[in-house]
Amino acid sequence: MKLSVVIPAYNEQESIPETLRSLYQTLAKYGIPHEICVTNDNSKDQTAQVLEQLTHEIPTLVYYTNPGPNGFGYAVRYGLERFTGDCVAVFMADMSDDPEDLVKFYYKMLEGDYDCVFGSRWSKGGKVIDYPELKKVINRTANFIVRMMMGIRYNDTTNAFKLYKRETMEGLKPFLSPHFNLTVELPLKAMVRGYNYAVVPNSWTNRKYGESKLKIKEMGSRYFFILLYCLIEKYLSRGDYRKKTAKPAAPVSR
């Protein structure tokens, strides 16, 4: 099963080399067939030039420049329209995600033939390193609201780090979110539409370089919009968007 890793990058010239080298070395160590797809989201620094240099060092790296509209969601969606693998993970450019966790996701999907594998930083075995206290309070509150409104047990919906089969990702279209609310849209749609999933503990480490692109004040209403959309689909869509399962072939009389 070929793995595609979609990485959005905006002004990540300092973080992206270490992220990509570590990711490639880990996937190569386990012999996982893969491609690394980076979307340069029209960066204003030297991200594009750094990516071009890294293509000579990392044979599985491809990168695109999203001319616009720009934003985290648009950058991820740009990559999701272009990956070639049998499954696809969304991975961050700032070294916050651990490639070893991605390997666990991959083998978990193979082991159980799951449609999706979701990470959880807050379940047993998960951990966060240098997580800002205010951001943690907001994160846990937001995830509690999502759990209560959607009636789910999964406790880390806002975690972008997830793995989906290609056919699952196709079944989640069309995408609505232009910003970080895409991280909520994808898993909630998958749940509402009947795709099965496993949850694997993962770690998260705060970035070493640059600044976070997530603007909490701007995102509240956008997250809430997607939450309401998924809630409406869950109760009022009458299953129109649910996962399509192949019907058994009719018996042939002889």
Side-chain angles (χ1 to χ4, degrees), residues 28 30 61 108 112 124 130 163 181 186 192 231 244 248 251:
Y30 288 95
L61 172 64
K108 187 69 175 181
K124 184 178 180 181
D130 195 23
L163 176 65
N181 47 343
L186 297 180
V192 168
L231 197 64
K244 302 298 188 292

Side-chain angles (χ1 to χ4, degrees), residues 162-180:
K162 297 179 172 72
L163 176 65
Y164 302 85
K165 283 185 177 177
R166 169 177 282 279
E167 52 266 35
T168 303
M169 192 60 74
E170 290 297 320
L172 304 184
K173 295 179 178 178
F175 305 129
L176 303 176
S177 303
H179 300 289
F180 279 88

Side-chain angles (χ1 to χ4, degrees), residues 89-102:
V90 178
F91 197 88
M92 302 304 283
D94 59 4
M95 299 184 292
S96 59
D97 298 324
D98 187 341
E100 291 285 346
D101 288 332
L102 179 56

Side-chain angles (χ1 to χ4, degrees), residues 6 8 72 76 88-92 96-97 105 117-119 121 139 154 156-164 180 182-184 186-187 202 204 223:
V6 168
F72 177 87
V76 173
V88 58
V90 178
F91 197 88
M92 302 304 283
S96 59
D97 298 324
F105 287 18
V117 177
F118 300 155
R121 298 162 292 185
N139 177 288
Y154 178 50
D156 202 7
T157 306
T158 58
N159 184 359
F161 188 21
K162 297 179 172 72
L163 176 65
Y164 302 85
F180 279 88
L182 185 68
T183 63
V184 173
L186 297 180
N202 74 283
W204 182 93
Y223 277 115

